[in-house]
Amino acid sequence: MPSLWQHQKDAYIVSFMHQSHIRVIRQDNSEGMMILDEFCLFSCNPTNAIILTLPHQHLDVSTLILHEYTEGPVTMSKQYLTTHTVDNAHITDIFSLAATPTAILSASGSSTIHVHATNQDSFPLIQSLSNAHKLGCHHLAVSRNGKVAASVGFAGDVKIWKLAESGSGEWESFGDLDAEKASEKGKGGAGELWGIALSEDGQYLASTTYDGRINVWDLFGDRGVTLREYETGSAGSGSFGLCVDLSRDGEYTASGHQSGAVYVFNNDTGRLQYSLPGLVKPVRAVAFSPAGTRLAAAGDSGIIAIYDTKHGEHVGNLTGHTAWITSLDWNDTGEYLLSGSFDGKAKVWSIERSACVATHSETDKALWAVRWLPKTVRNEMFCTAGVNRSLTFYREATGA
């Protein structure tokens, strides 16, 4: 350990695990040492002296008072509580999540898409879309207004869904996306789709393909042609597009590829805006911030790269994961970024401080998807899912 300091009066030890992480241990002569908690600090250097004032006999992180005898304040991490777990929500790995204002949709290797209510404390199952994809579903997307959804199956089938106009809150089929018809540029079908993203109102769908092309479709118009088709290499030989996102204003489409490439396209001009540096291994998640000023990208490198979308500059990295990063999602304000990893850990990052502020792991099995729930009257919440086949919900421990 880089540094060790002991508060003799309260018999607590603070061990600095690395620059922004400390471990608090209670020492008991009869029982040895017991780890009470671990948490992140925004500004903590292993050489700094930290004193813990403990108001209660037991350690309560929410009431800890930290004093740092160096310049600059010490800010404690955000705290999240596991509020509910839906065990065995699917019979196989859960590969994708999509959140609406009142529900969360989940898809897995089975043929059924499940819908759980998020406006009820028990997060009950309220609908099952049976036989949605015969061979299972690997990607889900939902519009921000919560009225249109799309899903992609392992058989290459693309289904579109809409919220029933009756007000029942149930989803119903809104047709398919026929990717076999000729594109606007006359280059044949759009290719077998993989990653997808929807615009705020659900009218536009962006998709990646196995051969590296990025397509944008009008779901309310002629689905047989693409509005935009972007090439990322010579025709038909681009790198597998693993992920895609649309900016909220609809101006940009971003894609991440097996080659490690990250591209940003301007939907107004139909041209490549930026080819972004920084990642050399497969990119499994890209996500625009709510304001569209930042793009986050991550994957097998274990690093989250942050880009300035106005100038196409790589402005920083978020490091801390020790395995592939499989999923990214921004909170509503753009202050925090949520990430999920192959090692089963979900992390919350402060963008302003470029630091991890919370780490959670209910399992050591891979997480395939993490999503913030749209903030309502409750505290901030997010959901994680993956190999353990369960949905785990976390709630912010502070605030009203």
Side-chain angles (χ1 to χ4, degrees), residues 170-327:
E170 292 197 341
W171 290 90
E172 58 187 25
S173 175
F174 191 35
D176 300 339
L177 183 65
D178 188 352
E180 298 303 317
K181 291 184 179 179
S183 72
E184 186 182 66
K185 295 183 178 180
K187 295 182 180 178
E192 199 166 353
L193 304 190
W194 187 254
I196 54 172
L198 280 169
S199 62
E200 278 208 340
D201 60 359
Q203 180 172 358
Y204 302 107
L205 173 78
S207 65
T208 64
T209 66
Y210 286 81
D211 62 8
R213 280 178 287 170
I214 313 302
N215 298 292
V216 180
W217 313 76
D218 183 355
L219 299 184
F220 298 169
D222 183 358
R223 297 180 185 176
V225 296
T226 56
L227 290 180
R228 296 294 186 195
E229 182 176 301
Y230 303 115
E231 296 280 2
T232 61
S234 56
S237 64
S239 176
F240 189 153
L242 293 171
C243 52
V244 67
D245 196 24
L246 281 167
S247 61
R248 287 192 182 179
D249 60 9
E251 185 175 0
Y252 297 114
T253 297
S255 62
H257 296 259
Q258 191 169 20
S259 63
V262 177
Y263 300 106
V264 176
F265 301 93
N266 188 310
N267 295 325
D268 292 333
T269 64
R271 297 179 180 275
L272 175 69
Q273 188 82 5
Y274 304 114
S275 176
L276 302 175
L279 297 170
V280 295
K281 295 183 178 181
V283 177
R284 299 183 182 272
V286 290
F288 283 104
S289 65
T293 57
R294 292 287 186 267
L295 176 72
D300 293 10
S301 65
I303 295 170
I304 303 171
I306 305 295
Y307 301 95
D308 176 349
T309 56
K310 184 177 181 179
H311 302 100
E313 296 177 348
H314 182 194
V315 294
N317 290 327
L318 302 175
T319 59
H321 280 294
T322 58
W324 296 356
I325 298 170
T326 55
S327 185

Side-chain angles (χ1 to χ4, degrees), residues 62 78-79 375 377-380 395-400:
S62 67
K78 289 172 71 72
Q79 300 299 316
K375 193 169 184 179
V377 294
R378 297 184 176 196
N379 295 340
E380 206 164 48
R395 175 177 56 82
E396 188 180 9
T398 58

Side-chain angles (χ1 to χ4, degrees), residues 1 5 19 56 71 77 115 133-134 170 183 229-230 283 288 329 335 345 357 386:
M1 290 180 286
W5 176 82
Q19 185 170 350
H56 304 291
E71 293 184 2
S77 61
V115 184
H133 296 278
K134 186 176 181 180
E170 292 197 341
S183 72
E229 182 176 301
Y230 303 115
V283 177
F288 283 104
D329 195 30
E335 296 174 274
K345 289 183 172 59
V357 296

